[in-house]
Amino acid sequence: KILENIDDYCALGEEDSSLPITDVLLVKNAKNELRTNETVLKQLAANTAKFAYIDPQKTEVGAQFIGYTSSGVRLWHPTESYENSAGQKTSMIPDDKIVCLSDQMAAHVHFGMIEDLKAGSFVGEIFSKVWDEEDPSGRWLKCASAPLAYVEQPDAIVVAKVL
Protein backbone atom coordinates (compact mmCIF):
# COMPACT_ATOMS: atom_id res chain seq x y z
CA LYS A 1 0.00 0.00 0.00
CA ILE A 2 2.93 2.35 0.67
CA LEU A 3 4.11 2.39 -2.95
CA GLU A 4 0.53 2.79 -4.20
CA ASN A 5 0.12 5.84 -1.95
CA ILE A 6 3.31 7.32 -3.39
CA ASP A 7 2.02 6.69 -6.93
CA ASP A 8 -1.28 8.40 -5.98
CA TYR A 9 0.58 11.50 -4.74
CA CYS A 10 2.63 11.53 -7.94
CA ALA A 11 -0.57 11.36 -9.99
CA LEU A 12 -1.84 14.48 -8.15
CA GLY A 13 1.23 16.44 -9.19
CA GLU A 14 1.07 15.15 -12.76
CA GLU A 15 -2.60 16.06 -13.05
CA ASP A 16 -2.02 19.57 -11.70
CA SER A 17 1.17 20.42 -13.61
CA SER A 18 0.94 18.26 -16.76
CA LEU A 19 4.52 17.18 -16.04
CA PRO A 20 5.62 13.66 -15.13
CA ILE A 21 6.59 13.28 -11.48
CA THR A 22 9.99 11.59 -11.69
CA ASP A 23 11.40 11.66 -8.17
CA VAL A 24 10.24 11.23 -4.58
CA LEU A 25 12.29 12.31 -1.56
CA LEU A 26 11.68 10.10 1.48
CA VAL A 27 13.00 11.31 4.80
CA LYS A 28 13.46 9.34 8.02
CA ASN A 29 9.92 8.14 8.83
CA ALA A 30 8.95 7.30 5.25
CA LYS A 31 12.26 5.57 4.56
CA ASN A 32 11.87 3.49 7.73
CA GLU A 33 8.36 2.45 6.62
CA LEU A 34 9.79 1.13 3.36
CA ARG A 35 12.78 -0.62 4.96
CA THR A 36 10.67 -2.52 7.50
CA ASN A 37 8.13 -3.88 5.00
CA GLU A 38 9.33 -7.10 3.32
CA THR A 39 6.69 -6.92 0.56
CA VAL A 40 7.76 -3.38 -0.33
CA LEU A 41 11.44 -4.37 -0.35
CA LYS A 42 10.70 -7.20 -2.81
CA GLN A 43 8.69 -4.82 -5.02
CA LEU A 44 11.53 -2.27 -4.98
CA ALA A 45 14.06 -4.95 -5.95
CA ALA A 46 11.87 -6.14 -8.83
CA ASN A 47 11.18 -2.59 -10.02
CA THR A 48 14.84 -1.60 -9.85
CA ALA A 49 15.78 -4.63 -11.94
CA LYS A 50 13.05 -3.69 -14.46
CA PHE A 51 14.20 -0.07 -14.92
CA ALA A 52 17.73 1.27 -15.49
CA TYR A 53 19.86 0.89 -12.37
CA ILE A 54 21.43 3.97 -10.83
CA ASP A 55 24.70 3.37 -9.01
CA PRO A 56 24.32 5.28 -5.72
CA GLN A 57 28.10 5.70 -5.55
CA LYS A 58 28.03 7.74 -8.77
CA THR A 59 25.27 10.16 -7.76
CA GLU A 60 26.45 13.47 -6.39
CA VAL A 61 23.10 15.02 -5.55
CA GLY A 62 23.13 14.89 -1.75
CA ALA A 63 20.73 11.93 -1.69
CA GLN A 64 20.90 8.14 -1.44
CA PHE A 65 19.10 6.20 -4.18
CA ILE A 66 16.54 3.71 -2.77
CA GLY A 67 14.79 2.22 -5.80
CA TYR A 68 11.92 2.60 -8.26
CA THR A 69 8.15 2.39 -7.89
CA SER A 70 6.25 0.19 -10.36
CA SER A 71 5.55 3.30 -12.46
CA GLY A 72 9.26 4.16 -12.75
CA VAL A 73 9.43 6.97 -10.19
CA ARG A 74 12.86 7.18 -8.52
CA LEU A 75 12.91 7.05 -4.71
CA TRP A 76 15.62 8.96 -2.84
CA HIS A 77 16.64 9.55 0.77
CA PRO A 78 18.10 13.09 1.03
CA THR A 79 21.30 13.28 3.08
CA GLU A 80 21.72 17.07 3.12
CA SER A 81 21.18 18.94 6.37
CA TYR A 82 21.81 22.33 7.92
CA GLU A 83 22.54 23.67 11.37
CA ASN A 84 19.54 25.48 12.85
CA SER A 85 19.72 28.52 15.14
CA ALA A 86 19.95 26.23 18.19
CA GLY A 87 23.04 24.57 16.70
CA GLN A 88 21.28 21.27 15.95
CA LYS A 89 21.77 19.35 12.71
CA THR A 90 18.41 19.44 10.90
CA SER A 91 17.17 17.66 7.79
CA MET A 92 16.23 19.89 4.84
CA ILE A 93 12.84 18.12 4.75
CA PRO A 94 10.86 17.38 7.96
CA ASP A 95 11.03 13.73 9.07
CA ASP A 96 7.28 13.19 8.60
CA LYS A 97 7.09 14.44 4.98
CA ILE A 98 7.69 13.11 1.49
CA VAL A 99 8.27 15.36 -1.51
CA CYS A 100 7.24 14.35 -5.03
CA LEU A 101 8.64 16.43 -7.90
CA SER A 102 9.39 16.52 -11.59
CA ASP A 103 12.88 16.86 -13.00
CA GLN A 104 11.27 18.72 -15.91
CA MET A 105 9.80 21.61 -13.89
CA ALA A 106 11.13 25.06 -14.58
CA ALA A 107 13.36 26.20 -11.72
CA HIS A 108 16.12 28.77 -11.82
CA VAL A 109 18.53 30.65 -9.61
CA HIS A 110 18.26 34.42 -9.93
CA PHE A 111 20.49 36.86 -8.11
CA GLY A 112 19.45 39.75 -5.92
CA MET A 113 21.04 43.15 -5.46
CA ILE A 114 24.25 43.61 -3.50
CA GLU A 115 24.97 47.06 -2.12
CA ASP A 116 28.42 48.48 -1.46
CA LEU A 117 29.17 52.01 -0.19
CA LYS A 118 31.92 52.65 -2.75
CA ALA A 119 30.81 50.49 -5.72
CA GLY A 120 27.09 51.22 -5.38
CA SER A 121 24.37 48.67 -6.14
CA PHE A 122 25.17 45.61 -8.19
CA VAL A 123 23.11 42.68 -9.49
CA GLY A 124 25.04 39.58 -10.54
CA GLU A 125 26.21 36.15 -9.51
CA ILE A 126 29.06 37.43 -7.36
CA PHE A 127 30.53 40.76 -6.25
CA SER A 128 34.11 40.91 -5.04
CA LYS A 129 36.43 43.62 -3.84
CA VAL A 130 40.00 43.73 -2.58
CA TRP A 131 41.62 46.16 -0.16
CA ASP A 132 44.91 46.48 1.69
CA GLU A 133 45.43 47.00 5.40
CA GLU A 134 48.56 48.67 6.80
CA ASP A 135 48.61 47.32 10.34
CA PRO A 136 48.73 44.37 10.48
CA SER A 137 49.90 44.23 6.90
CA GLY A 138 47.64 42.21 4.65
CA ARG A 139 45.33 42.08 1.67
CA TRP A 140 41.66 41.30 2.14
CA LEU A 141 39.27 39.80 -0.39
CA LYS A 142 35.53 39.97 0.16
CA CYS A 143 33.02 38.14 -2.04
CA ALA A 144 29.25 38.51 -1.76
CA SER A 145 26.33 36.84 -3.51
CA ALA A 146 22.56 36.96 -3.10
CA PRO A 147 21.17 33.81 -4.78
CA LEU A 148 17.40 33.47 -4.99
CA ALA A 149 16.16 29.99 -5.90
CA TYR A 150 12.92 30.29 -7.82
CA VAL A 151 10.56 27.48 -8.80
CA GLU A 152 8.43 28.62 -11.73
CA GLN A 153 6.15 25.58 -11.66
CA PRO A 154 5.33 24.90 -8.00
CA ASP A 155 2.38 22.76 -9.07
CA ALA A 156 4.95 20.10 -10.08
CA ILE A 157 5.78 19.58 -6.37
CA VAL A 158 3.62 17.58 -3.97
CA VAL A 159 4.41 17.49 -0.25
CA ALA A 160 2.63 14.79 1.74
CA LYS A 161 2.66 13.91 5.45
CA VAL A 162 3.58 10.36 6.48
CA LEU A 163 1.15 9.07 9.08
Side-chain angles (χ1 to χ4, degrees):
K1 184 85 175 134
I2 297 168
L3 294 178
E4 290 89 1
N5 287 344
I6 290 172
D7 282 337
D8 289 344
Y9 290 126
C10 291
L12 286 174
E14 290 172 353
E15 186 178 305
D16 204 27
S17 69
S18 301
L19 293 173
I21 298 298
T22 55
D23 297 278
V24 175
L25 306 176
L26 304 167
V27 195
K28 190 177 183 180
N29 295 356
K31 181 184 167 193
N32 290 343
E33 284 293 320
L34 290 179
R35 300 281 175 160
T36 57
N37 188 319
E38 283 297 320
T39 306
V40 170
L41 289 175
K42 287 177 186 171
Q43 283 179 303
L44 285 175
N47 295 339
T48 302
K50 185 168 113 178
F51 296 101
Y53 178 74
I54 295 175
D55 184 354
Q57 302 304 320
K58 294 183 181 175
T59 58
E60 296 180 21
V61 293
Q64 174 190 20
F65 179 69
I66 297 172
Y68 287 96
T69 67
S70 59
S71 60
V73 174
R74 296 178 296 238
L75 302 176
W76 301 90
H77 172 65
T79 55
E80 296 287 326
S81 61
Y82 67 96
E83 193 172 293
N84 65 17
S85 59
Q88 299 169 323
K89 190 174 176 181
T90 305
S91 175
M92 299 295 270
I93 301 169
D95 286 343
D96 63 343
K97 305 281 189 215
I98 68 167
V99 178
C100 309
L101 51 95
S102 174
D103 63 3
Q104 296 176 24
M105 71 181 170
H108 303 284
V109 176
H110 299 282
F111 293 89
M113 186 177 298
I114 299 167
E115 293 186 30
D116 184 77
L117 291 176
K118 289 184 180 177
S121 299
F122 175 85
V123 176
E125 287 187 35
I126 193 162
F127 170 77
S128 63
K129 69 179 187 178
V130 178
W131 69 95
D132 294 326
E133 288 288 332
E134 295 292 325
D135 190 20
S137 179
R139 177 166 286 164
W140 291 87
L141 168 66
K142 178 182 178 181
C143 296
S145 184
L148 303 166
Y150 177 68
V151 177
E152 294 179 24
Q153 292 176 292
D155 54 351
I157 301 172
V158 176
V159 179
K161 184 171 183 165
V162 178
L163 300 175

